[in-house]
Amino acid sequence: MSKTTTTSPADNPLFYANPVPLDREKHRELKLGSGEPDYGYARGAHFIPALIDEFSAASREMPILFVPGAKGPTAVFMVGLETGRSRLVKADGSWARPYVPAYLRRYPFILGEVEGQDPLVMIDEENSVLSLTEGEALFGEDGEPSAALNNAIGFTNEFFAAGKRTEAFIELLTSLDLFRQITIETRAAGAEVQTIHGLLAVDEGKLYELSDADFLKLRDERVLSPIFAHFFSLTQIDRLRDEVQA
């Protein structure tokens, strides 16, 4: 018997149930934990958004693929073989691999885009990451952002910029018609076949058939390394099959 999974990108940011503008009065008592991060909130996701800046560092840990969407493909890390079930979140909420996706490290902060205005720092009020009792407060007694909050906001801004670079990277690949649809099948010993449809990968054959001008465009945009990191990451697909599930 085989089991089939069809991809279905979410319309809203993954994990963000109730993002609201960060407010120094409303969120003054919230604290960022100083211990080991708990990624239990990510246990129900088999894909995590990925950034082009991460491809090289993460390629030895997780498959990097692309999911089609109404606005174009999205880069993702595959972290599970079944819909709604991660294989990389352990029972205690820790991450099973050395590299933790930036998307998880940014949560519960995010930048909201409002037309005609600067991006606004927001926070998911329904998160399980922040605490009222443990860690460093987001704001000091004077109402100013703490060092922990400034670091989180800095990282959120870096993530936003990297997201724009990732969008440009994908737009370039799309314009050169370099994506192909793939189906992934894996099978553990004595278990049913896991089949995942609806994914995209860079077509290596098309890459090497590009004209000199188009290939040089990829070189000049400095995206050849991420493309090859994507190719290398696909060797990690079967490794997910053997990951002990929480």
Side-chain angles (χ1 to χ4, degrees), residues 135-184:
E136 183 176 350
L138 299 186
F139 297 95
E141 294 294 333
D142 58 359
E144 293 301 311
S146 65
L149 178 56
N150 280 328
N151 288 338
I153 291 175
F155 186 77
T156 302
N157 284 320
E158 291 171 6
F159 187 100
F160 183 83
K164 295 300 183 183
R165 289 192 291 272
T166 306
E167 291 174 5
F169 167 63
I170 291 174
E171 288 173 2
L172 178 56
L173 296 183
T174 301
S175 71
L176 296 175
D177 191 28
L178 287 179
F179 286 117
R180 65 183 177 94
Q181 291 190 351
I182 64 171
T183 296
I184 294 174

Side-chain angles (χ1 to χ4, degrees), residues 177-221:
D177 191 28
L178 287 179
F179 286 117
R180 65 183 177 94
Q181 291 190 351
I182 64 171
T183 296
I184 294 174
E185 291 188 352
T186 65
R187 188 211 305 262
E192 63 186 13
V193 174
Q194 301 289 341
T195 304
I196 302 177
H197 298 290
L199 294 170
L200 301 174
V202 176
D203 189 316
E204 191 169 0
K206 287 184 177 180
L207 176 66
Y208 291 121
E209 291 171 359
L210 287 175
S211 67
D212 289 348
D214 285 339
F215 194 85
L216 288 175
K217 184 185 299 184
L218 295 176
R219 185 201 66 179
D220 293 342
E221 293 294 329

